[in-house]
Amino acid sequence: MSGTILPRPGYVRDRAAEGRKQTLRVPLWVSALVATLIVQTVSSFSSLAIPLLGPPLMGRAGLPLESIGLVSAMTSAGICWCLACGGPMLAHHGPVRTLQIGLAGMALGLLVLSQPLGLLGLFGALAIGFGAGPNTPAGSQILIRTAPARHRALIFSIKQAGVPLGGALAGLVLAPLVVAQGLTTALWAVIAVTLCTILAVQPFRRRLDGEEGASRPGWARSLLSPTMVLRSVSTLRAHASLPLLTALGASFSVVQACLMAFTATYAVTRHGASLAEAGRIVALMQGCSMLGRILMGWVADRTGHALRHLAWQAVASALAVALLVLASGHAPWALYGCAALVGFVAIGWNGVHMAELARIAPLHLVSDVTSAASLFGFVGSICGPLVFTLLVSWSGSYTLAFLLVAAQLAGFGLVSLISLRSSRQKQTADEAL
């Protein structure tokens, strides 16, 4: 036995501990989902604090109360700016670090907007929008590299469920906090939550970002480059299905934005609901949208064809909106039921859409493609309510406006189904030859 090499003292114990550590190590996709869901929820919570605290916030900033519309517009402009020009920043810093930079931008924007700076305070809203912008491209880049293919749509949908979850938390927490502790305490609470989230996701950075992002020395200049907008949009030519998928997402965005902007007003003016009851209807719609996102992701994974699923969901969503305005007045419970159905179907599309964009895009262009598609979607969410307002002003009918909005979504869904059928027939013919 003189030639036998004995293990060093503690070797067996060290190996056992290492084995237990590997056993307890969570899968990479779980870390990715937890990190992106946390950031998505907090970003939604922080950005929705602005409209919820609008009146006292505008008063503190020395602006008229109706200036909340300018704040909303500047926030939207900030998101579009990030989506159009933020690709090099994401490539340079990596997705998790970019999400942290976004959270820091939101905290800074909240601080600026809360000060008595007059119109200069609107730059705070721009910073809040820019800070919220990285959630889609950075989150998609993280998840497409880690999510198991058989559960991809479900995982993306759970991440996107952070949007209504953050909105619901903001609605439940902020108003009572202002009443109990005042506006200053509420604002600092939102800022503190935002900053703490930067620290909370730091442990995920090494696993999800690697050692460092790709070196892009000119990334800061790209933020002010008009050519970046055209370059971002050009990535939608990377796959034949991307233009159709982008158009379908923009159509869904129009419907979702109109539902969120006008459902409460519709319930009050056309159904005689109180403001509190209208708030409950919108909250129900938001809650059902969170469940819808998750279930629709699961269904899309089971069917195995997300684009076809989205096309049929577009048609079903249009029918749900039509029910909301045509059948909800027959009984008090009907309005609640139709609002729940609309939230479940018509606002539960985002996760499946993001997952399909990330799946068909070339891996090195995932963040660019999702940014460009989201940019078009955001343009739809801005233009949709504006056109809706003009339709109501012209016709005096919310019903007509809702039906026309639903019709355009049904049209895009049917066009998508026809296009998919033609592609399948062409592929069958090519295989026969």
Side-chain angles (χ1 to χ4, degrees), residues 238-258:
H239 191 280
S241 297
L242 283 173
L244 178 62
L245 191 58
T246 299
L248 191 58
S251 181
F252 266 114
S253 294
V254 169
V255 172
Q256 178 173 327
C258 290

Side-chain angles (χ1 to χ4, degrees), residues 144 152 238-243 245-246 307 353-363 366 369:
I144 195 62
R152 183 185 295 120
H239 191 280
S241 297
L242 283 173
L245 191 58
T246 299
L307 184 51
H353 185 253
M354 285 296 136
E356 184 65 2
L357 285 170
R359 184 189 70 82
I360 64 179
L363 187 59
V366 166
V369 166

Side-chain angles (χ1 to χ4, degrees), residues 125-198:
L126 188 69
I128 291 170
F130 188 87
N135 280 290
T136 294
S140 296
Q141 181 175 316
I142 292 171
L143 293 180
I144 195 62
R145 293 178 175 177
T146 58
R150 65 185 183 278
H151 300 308
R152 183 185 295 120
L154 175 60
I155 290 171
F156 271 76
S157 297
I158 293 174
K159 180 258 183 185
Q160 286 300 117
V163 176
L165 177 59
L169 290 174
L172 291 173
V173 172
L174 290 181
L177 186 59
V178 171
V179 172
Q181 301 294 333
L183 178 63
T184 300
T185 300
L187 281 172
W188 279 111
V190 177
I191 293 172
V193 169
T194 307
L195 293 176
C196 287
T197 306
I198 298 175

Side-chain angles (χ1 to χ4, degrees), residues 330-381:
H330 295 295
W333 56 265
L335 181 59
Y336 284 88
C338 291
L341 179 62
V342 163
F344 190 85
V345 180
I347 314 181
W349 60 278
N350 311 68
V352 178
H353 185 253
M354 285 296 136
E356 184 65 2
L357 285 170
R359 184 189 70 82
I360 64 179
L363 187 59
H364 68 286
L365 291 177
V366 166
S367 60
D368 295 321
V369 166
T370 52
S371 291
S374 297
L375 180 61
F376 279 99
F378 221 84
V379 170
S381 69

